[in-house]
Amino acid sequence: AAAKTIALVDAAQPAMARVKEVIGYSTEALSKSYPESKLTNWTVDTIMEKVASLSGRKVDVGFANSGGIRVDMPKGDILLDDILSMFPFKNNLVYIEHKGSTLRGIFEWMASTKVQPVGGVKMVVTNGRIESLLIDGKPLEDDKVYVVATNSFLLHGGDGFFLAKDAVNMKVYDELVLDAMLESIRKFTAQGRPFEYKLDSRVIIKK
């Protein structure tokens, strides 16, 4: 039995070595905070960038869920294992076209409950109601069709989202959120830069 155990441990070594690969360097430890954090902004912005790349279309709005980010970003070396642990769910990237009126309903619902990570927008919420909402710097137009990027968990009830409902057009990609996040970290490293991200006051909550 001992010999068999040793063989199993030996077989696992290459896989263990792979997850311990250093894929980047972060200048600071990042954790999720509400209503906006560097970690959640990076997540939703990366989803938007990847869906734009896959679809060949400009993405207007991104939605993610903070519950999909399971661990914090460490300060210092970023291991492959860190990102695998951060995004453990097999959530696919999704392209959706939505009318502005549908999006307005989604944003109003979020304002009254909890604003999840969003991209492409500037949103001010007062007492659970939207005070102002800009997409790409312009007021939301009910009749306009917008391109949305998200993950498959939020399509049919995940965290209360039903983003597939009333979609004008939709495509679910084989690529996972995890793939996009790994690609993003590796891109920073390939450019010789440490991983850093920003806050931009995209969501302001007033009481």
Side-chain angles (χ1 to χ4, degrees):
K4 189 173 182 186
T5 304
I6 290 164
L8 283 171
V9 170
D10 283 350
Q13 288 302 324
M16 287 302 293
R18 190 179 88 85
V19 299
K20 297 305 177 197
E21 176 197 351
V22 176
I23 60 170
Y25 183 90
S26 179
T27 56
E28 59 180 335
L30 301 180
S31 57
K32 298 181 289 185
S33 60
Y34 179 77
E36 179 192 11
S37 68
K38 292 176 182 179
L39 189 58
T40 50
N41 284 0
W42 168 59
T43 302
V44 72
D45 291 352
T46 301
I47 288 170
M48 290 174 70
E49 284 164 23
K50 187 60 180 175
V51 169
S53 165
L54 290 167
S55 66
R57 295 282 307 276
K58 178 184 179 293
V59 171
D60 301 300
V61 176
F63 293 104
N65 56 310
S66 59
I69 307 168
R70 304 309 289 183
V71 299
D72 295 345
M73 176 73 78
K75 180 178 180 178
D77 286 345
I78 303 168
L79 305 182
L80 175 59
D81 194 32
D82 292 323
I83 306 301
L84 295 175
S85 301
M86 208 176 287
F87 301 99
F89 305 114
K90 297 219 172 334
N91 290 329
N92 298 74
L93 296 167
V94 184
Y95 167 98
I96 309 174
E97 291 171 23
H98 265 313
K99 281 190 72 172
S101 52
T102 306
L103 282 180
R104 190 182 298 281
I106 294 164
F107 282 115
E108 285 172 350
W109 165 73
M110 271 205 298
S112 69
T113 53
K114 183 181 180 184
V115 179
Q116 292 281 1
V118 291
V121 306
K122 287 269 188 191
M123 185 176 179
V124 179
V125 177
T126 306
N127 295 323
R129 298 176 71 87
I130 293 172
E131 185 180 309
S132 69
L133 177 61
L134 301 176
I135 295 181
D136 198 17
K138 301 181 197 72
L140 177 67
E141 297 174 43
D142 285 345
D143 292 335
K144 184 177 171 179
V145 173
Y146 293 89
V147 174
V148 176
T150 189
N151 69 61
S152 51
F153 177 68
L154 301 184
L155 293 180
H156 305 289
D159 278 342
F161 281 89
F162 291 87
L163 292 182
K165 188 172 182 290
D166 298 324
V168 175
N169 194 5
M170 188 170 85
K171 179 172 174 57
V172 179
Y173 293 102
D174 292 336
E175 283 85 354
L176 303 177
V177 170
L178 170 65
D179 300 328
M181 307 320 291
L182 283 171
E183 189 179 296
S184 172
I185 295 288
R186 292 185 190 279
K187 203 178 285 179
F188 276 93
T189 305
Q191 291 169 354
R193 297 192 294 143
F195 172 76
E196 293 178 315
Y197 219 69
K198 62 189 184 299
L199 296 172
D200 53 20
S201 303
R202 60 184 66 183
V203 179
I204 296 169
I205 308 280
K206 298 179 183 174
K207 290 288 179 266

